[in-house]
Amino acid sequence: MANVSVIGTGTWGTTLAILLHENGHHVVAWSAIPEEVKMLSEQRKHESLPGVHIPEGIQFTENLEEACKEKELIVMAVPSIFTRVTSKKIAGFIPAGQLIVNVAKGIEEDTLMTLSEQIEQEIPQANVAVLSGPSHAEEVSKGMPTTCVAGAKTMEMAETVQNFFMAPTFRVYTSLDVLGIELGGSLKNVIALAAGIADGLGCGDNAKAALITRGIVEIARLGCEMGGKFETFCGLSGIGDLIVTCASMHSRNRRAGILIGKGYTMQEAMDEVHMVVEGVYSAKAALKLGEKYHVTLPIIQEVNEVLFHNRSAREAVFDLMLRERTTESFSLHLNK
Ligand SMILES: NC(=O)c1ccc[n+]([C@@H]2O[C@H](COP(=O)([O-])OP(=O)(O)OC[C@H]3O[C@@H](n4cnc5c(N)ncnc54)[C@H](O)[C@@H]3O)[C@@H](O)[C@H]2O)c1
């Protein structure tokens, strides 16, 4: 039994706290919101995880020192817009060599840094790993079979993360491609917005399949150019996560996209979904990365047009369908 902490008690942090507790670890979970700590401690349920009981053994706290002190593993589970600020807050409590596994997904718009890069910048003494894959909390928390990939700079570290999380209903693979894993996990949210928009417009299943297929081409071209491995984009954190995010009603990015496709503005859609819609933040960053690495990203570009430049969703579909004709290839150098 190890002492572990989960930083962030959203749906994913809470689900992973339960999983780690069930794996026999002593779990402390931290939230930035005192009312949330009170509610989770007293009621033993999360409002976004109906029917899921939070075991008594999990301790909740708003005290960061308590959450970070003498832990064999720290899970960083705050939504990506809070990753840097939370890392800054905990940095002073983290000893050299501390293992931190980031489970959030996103890219910082100003710096274009992945989340593990941000954590490493704020907490240089830590060893940062990632865990990602097609894993909606709503299903994991009910013990439904799920697979993920643990990525780290060394196989030893990736296997340590694997050992913490692996369970009969939660299978964890290992990888050394941290960058590829993080890029797949964050860029798929932008494609999920596109898939939702297409659903909202009533485009049908053919369009959905096209967006998933051409979406992974965009993600892989950009990701490989940045140094990610092609095979990672064909794996759980790449096409796997993209499929589930584009197909599932658990995906807040897809749900927001559906509303936009039905005529809501971006802000109206975000308000209605009531949760952080990370694809909206990653969309601008993805476009900037495309410019930086000279990779053409037609779907991501149209999502940006719809979100930030008042292009109608219907026009965006026509733009994509009427692009210059091309051949089907993953080749980066084709870049169309
Ligand atoms: N939900 C899932 O199924 C799932 C699965 C895999 C990965 N993820 C990723 O995990 C991350 C967290 O997702 P989630 O679904 O738990 O998000 P969420 O929307 O449920 O998170 C909301 C939580 O954020 C925290 N928070 C709010 N304000 C904060 C602040 N100022 N500082 C720090 N924390 C604050 C609070 O604990 C709040 O409950 C995201 O990056 C998401 O992409 C989610």
Side-chain angles (χ1 to χ4, degrees):
M1 184 193 245
N3 287 318
V4 305
S5 76
V6 178
I7 305 296
T9 53
T11 50
W12 194 219
T14 303
T15 296
L16 291 178
I18 297 171
L19 180 78
L20 289 163
H21 170 83
E22 285 172 353
N23 278 358
H25 302 300
H26 181 257
V27 182
V28 177
W30 172 88
S31 172
I33 304 167
E35 303 81 57
E36 197 168 75
V37 170
K38 189 170 178 325
M39 193 197 70
L40 291 167
S41 310
E42 288 175 3
Q43 298 186 11
R44 295 277 141 194
K45 58 184 185 195
H46 190 290
E47 58 179 3
S48 299
L49 297 171
V52 175
H53 173 72
I54 300 171
E56 301 296 326
I58 299 175
Q59 198 187 321
F60 292 94
T61 182
E62 54 186 289
N63 181 325
L64 268 180
E65 185 172 7
E66 188 186 347
C68 297
K69 220 172 131 188
E70 291 165 13
K71 298 291 181 289
E72 277 127 279
L73 176 75
I74 294 179
V75 181
M76 188 67 112
V78 292
S80 56
I81 49 167
F82 304 124
T83 301
R84 186 180 286 281
V85 66
T86 308
S87 302
K88 261 190 224 289
K89 280 191 206 164
I90 68 172
F93 304 119
I94 304 292
Q98 173 69 59
L99 177 58
I100 296 179
V101 61
N102 171 58
V103 298
K105 298 169 182 174
I107 300 170
E108 198 169 40
E109 195 191 319
D110 298 342
T111 64
L112 303 183
M113 287 166 91
T114 62
L115 301 184
S116 74
E117 288 167 347
Q118 292 170 45
I119 298 169
E120 277 168 353
Q121 196 174 51
E122 299 299 336
I123 319 173
Q125 70 274 30
N127 288 325
V128 185
V130 297
L131 181 76
S132 189
S135 52
H136 284 306
E138 292 82 351
E139 296 188 2
V140 177
S141 60
K142 294 198 176 104
M144 295 164 82
T146 300
T147 51
C148 273
V149 58
K153 289 191 182 110
T154 65
M155 197 39 81
E156 190 189 349
M157 211 196 301
E159 283 170 3
T160 303
V161 175
Q162 181 184 44
N163 287 340
F164 271 106
F165 288 96
M166 190 96 170
T169 56
F170 196 81
R171 182 170 174 77
V172 183
Y173 293 79
T174 54
S175 164
L176 293 174
D177 186 13
V178 176
L179 178 66
I181 290 172
E182 288 197 284
L183 289 174
S186 50
L187 297 174
K188 57 99 195 185
N189 284 333
V190 189
I191 305 297
L193 278 166
I197 291 170
D199 283 335
L201 285 170
C203 286
D205 296 341
N206 298 344
K208 174 73 67 65
L211 283 167
I212 293 173
T213 313
R214 296 307 300 172
I216 198 66
V217 171
E218 288 186 26
I219 292 172
R221 279 185 183 157
L222 176 60
C224 290
E225 190 64 8
M226 290 174 67
K229 287 211 177 80
F230 181 76
E231 65 177 21
T232 306
F233 303 105
C234 304
L236 292 168
S237 59
I239 188 70
D241 207 359
L242 183 63
I243 290 171
V244 82
T245 313
C246 290
S248 171
M249 273 315 273
H250 294 312
S251 164
R252 66 193 73 172
N253 291 281
R254 177 175 174 237
R255 289 207 312 270
I258 291 173
L259 294 171
I260 293 168
K262 285 185 171 158
Y264 285 56
T265 64
M266 178 186 79
Q267 195 53 53
E268 286 166 352
M270 297 229 286
D271 292 346
E272 181 82 16
V273 169
H274 273 320
M275 286 164 129
V276 180
V277 181
E278 287 173 315
V280 169
Y281 300 97
S282 298
K284 274 191 189 167
L287 203 58
K288 285 189 195 168
L289 283 171
E291 281 160 18
K292 183 172 171 188
Y293 288 90
H294 308 291
V295 179
T296 309
L297 305 170
I299 301 170
I300 289 172
Q301 176 147 14
E302 289 301 333
V303 170
N304 273 274
E305 290 297 324
V306 172
L307 292 179
F308 307 114
H309 302 293
N310 292 323
R311 169 100 89 239
S312 82
R314 204 163 285 284
E315 274 172 350
V317 174
F318 282 121
D319 287 347
L320 284 173
M321 292 302 289
L322 298 175
R323 287 173 57 244
E324 186 188 345
R325 67 189 65 190
T326 183
T327 179
E328 185 179 45
S329 168
F330 258 88
S331 165
L332 174 68
H333 300 292
L334 195 67
N335 209 8
K336 282 183 182 167

